[in-house]
Amino acid sequence: MDKYVIRGGNPLVGEVEIGGAKNAALAILTAAIMTDETVVVDNIPDVSDINVLLEAISVIGATVDRVDRHTVRINGSTIGSVSVDYEFIKKIRASYYLLGALLGKYKRAEVPLPGGCNIGSRPIDLHLKGFRALGATVTIRNGVIYASADDLHGAHIFLDTVSVGATINIMMAAAMAQGKTVIENAAREPHVVDAANFLNSMGANIKGAGTDVIRVRGVESLHRTSYTVVPDMIEAGTFMFAAAATRGDILMKNVIPKHLEAMTAKLVEIGCQVEEFDDAVRISAKSRLGKTHVKTLPYPGFPTDMQPQIGVALCLARGTSIVTESIFENRFKYVDELARMGATIKVEGNTAIIDGTETLTGARISAPDLRAGAALVIAGLAAEGVTVIDDIVYILRGYEDFDKKLRDLGAEIELVSDEREVQKFRLRTG
Ligand code: EPZ
């Protein structure tokens, strides 16, 4: 089984190129099947979640052509089935987007209930409520969601909770419904805006994405387009906190600084220097970090996908910090692993109380999910000695060339597949 082995202690220094946003690309690649014309999508990250989704799309009959590592050409005219195989769905949460895309285009979809990272209960009731409001009949039998409609019609939909997935999914189905849909209390994340921009580039009529009211006027059909996915704010944020935790100095290229503001504000608060350019951000940390309090919130608040990474940085800060997770109830699973590295953290309900320590020490740990796994890599980079991280399959779901990008910044990290290689790494770097 693949693992990362890390000898910590080097400050990360240099430049890193940030890839396309995984969570935007998952929505966009699914929406691409809604036209019978050819769509080209660029700046997609080469990560396993994307590759599984592309496989699922091709298994229902779409023509998927990988033009190069970051570019895909998709043609949905060859789709022969609206029934998606469980094999793919159990691996990725975003498979739920196939419901909105297939329902919008064919007025029928059969998609197994999704899998994905185990970070909480993750219901999809709001997605289904939205489809029903648009006129679809939705039932769940034997683990499969069946949605169908004679005609989809516009509706006024209020989302009880701000949900990225429900907003995008309803937007996709509504793009090809008859008449006008209004989605209230919509999510405002950059990937919602990117999915709306993509659909509009295919001829959809969506207004207000990026605010909490989205208005969609349905169209009969969608057409060909070429589109470039927005940069990944979570990958960028992960490198920012890696720089902070290792007291490094990194220039992140190909980012939208505005999307990083919640992270930037916290980094400045804990004593880092952050400089913004048009499409780059430089972060440096010259001295020991300071404490802070942080609560995860929907965009533009501090992202839940960055909670473990800031948690790790605060383990090394001076003083006591408080981290509150308000989106997913199961996102503190990294805490037990960090305790093995010498961190002092107590979790009470949805709050972690972190007493900062001067140093962490390397240990054998496991990645519990994608972002927690990335955070543990940061811990390993900042720790004294060798850290071995098992179960990195989670990390590979969302970070392209993570180890290589970190090595280019001066980290001693390798992806290895067995114990002998771990021993060799210890000898070589010791
Ligand atoms: C998306 O998940 C992302 N996944 C997640 O990223 C991210 O953590 C999350 O948004 C929040 O930003 C993808 O884009 C594929 P939500 P999603 O619906 O859409 C509740 C990562 O690491 N809710 O915005 O599934 C839900 O329980 C992943 O890249 C309902 O109650 O999240 C949560 O408390 C992990 N009913 C809140 O809303 C619903 O029908 C927000 O969830 C839907 C959601």
Side-chain angles (χ1 to χ4, degrees):
M1 291 295 253
D2 286 347
K3 38 193 127 267
Y4 283 141
V5 52
I6 303 168
R7 185 172 292 277
N10 297 356
L12 298 186
V13 178
E15 295 182 359
V16 60
E17 192 80 32
I18 301 303
K22 169 190 76 104
N23 288 343
L26 288 167
I28 287 168
L29 294 170
T30 315
I33 64 170
M34 294 179 73
T35 171
D36 279 344
E37 298 184 11
T38 299
V39 169
V40 179
V41 185
D42 190 19
N43 202 33
I44 58 163
D46 184 10
V47 294
S48 64
D49 269 15
I50 295 286
N51 298 330
V52 170
L53 179 78
L54 289 174
E55 227 179 313
I57 289 172
S58 75
V59 165
I60 57 170
T63 310
V64 177
D65 208 359
R66 196 93 186 207
V67 181
D68 61 39
R69 193 172 181 204
H70 299 128
T71 311
V72 172
R73 192 185 295 123
I74 295 178
N75 187 297
S77 67
T78 47
I79 289 176
S81 163
V82 293
S83 174
V84 183
D85 200 295
Y86 179 65
E87 268 317 292
F88 304 107
I89 300 316
K90 70 177 183 201
K91 295 187 194 150
I92 50 165
R93 176 96 193 141
S95 51
Y96 53 41
Y97 288 138
L98 285 160
L99 272 172
L102 292 169
L103 185 64
K105 185 179 183 192
Y106 299 108
K107 315 294 175 243
R108 258 191 69 208
E110 296 175 13
V111 179
L113 279 159
C117 275
N118 179 18
I119 54 176
S121 71
R122 307 190 78 178
I124 60 160
D125 55 309
L126 296 174
H127 304 229
L128 307 188
K129 175 180 155 180
F131 298 144
R132 288 188 180 113
L134 294 174
T137 303
V138 184
T139 52
I140 300 177
R141 287 194 308 275
N142 309 111
V144 178
I145 303 162
Y146 296 86
S148 63
D150 293 333
D151 273 314
L152 288 179
H153 53 73
H156 202 112
I157 298 163
F158 186 92
L159 297 178
D160 308 324
T161 304
V162 178
S163 160
V164 173
T167 303
I168 295 179
N169 228 344
I170 295 167
M171 205 166 70
M172 287 202 282
M176 294 188 78
Q178 283 176 20
K180 190 172 155 193
T181 296
V182 179
I183 308 171
E184 302 240 30
N185 200 26
R188 291 178 282 168
E189 268 71 1
H191 24 299
V192 174
V193 179
D194 213 31
N197 288 343
F198 171 74
L199 283 160
N200 284 341
S201 78
M202 287 203 297
N205 183 345
I206 301 171
K207 295 200 169 89
T211 76
D212 59 1
V213 183
I214 296 179
R215 292 186 162 77
V216 186
R217 195 168 279 284
V219 296
E220 282 274 305
S221 62
L222 298 170
H223 57 68
R224 74 183 61 223
T225 188
S226 294
Y227 194 82
T228 301
V229 174
V230 80
D232 196 321
M233 60 183 251
I234 304 300
E235 186 192 14
T238 302
F239 279 98
M240 287 165 92
F241 279 91
T246 61
R247 298 198 203 165
D249 184 344
I250 302 184
L251 180 75
M252 275 156 318
K253 295 162 78 174
N254 184 36
V255 297
I256 298 176
K258 172 98 190 121
H259 294 169
L260 307 176
E261 270 174 359
M263 280 92 89
T264 303
K266 279 294 157 198
L267 286 161
V268 169
E269 204 181 309
I270 61 177
C272 300
Q273 291 71 47
V274 182
E275 220 179 325
E276 294 182 357
F277 306 93
D278 286 350
D279 61 355
V281 169
R282 179 177 171 193
I283 152 143
S284 59
K286 297 195 174 74
S287 49
R288 189 165 172 204
L289 304 174
K291 66 184 163 109
T292 189
H293 294 183
V294 60
K295 180 177 181 178
T296 62
L297 286 170
Y299 190 85
F302 193 89
T304 172
D305 289 350
M306 285 300 304
Q307 181 263 104
Q309 299 89 317
I310 193 173
V312 165
L314 294 176
C315 282
L316 292 156
R318 199 184 294 278
T320 301
S321 299
I322 296 180
V323 177
T324 305
E325 171 57 62
S326 74
I327 312 286
F328 291 112
E329 68 275 15
N330 211 1
R331 263 201 146 160
F332 282 128
K333 284 188 294 182
Y334 65 98
V335 162
D336 289 345
E337 306 299 303
L338 273 183
R340 310 189 63 227
M341 301 177 76
T344 315
I345 312 184
K346 204 164 97 189
V347 177
E348 285 178 5
N350 68 344
T351 299
I353 301 147
I354 304 174
D355 280 325
T357 168
E358 181 97 44
T359 46
L360 295 173
T361 50
R364 179 120 201 177
I365 52 179
S366 295
D369 60 63
L370 167 58
R371 306 302 172 187
L376 291 174
V377 170
I378 298 177
L381 296 170
E384 284 174 0
V386 172
T387 295
V388 181
I389 307 183
D390 288 306
D391 294 338
I392 64 164
V393 63
Y394 290 112
I395 304 174
L396 304 178
R397 294 175 69 151
Y399 291 89
E400 177 182 313
D401 292 343
F402 198 33
D403 53 328
K404 179 178 182 312
K405 287 185 181 184
L406 290 167
R407 271 196 303 279
D408 290 347
L409 293 168
E412 289 187 271
I413 175 170
E414 262 172 43
L415 190 159
V416 300
S417 45
D418 60 39
E419 293 305 322
R420 268 208 354 246
E421 289 179 78
V422 172
Q423 294 312 329
K424 277 193 198 159
F425 176 89
R426 282 183 194 275
L427 276 175
R428 200 173 51 250
T429 59

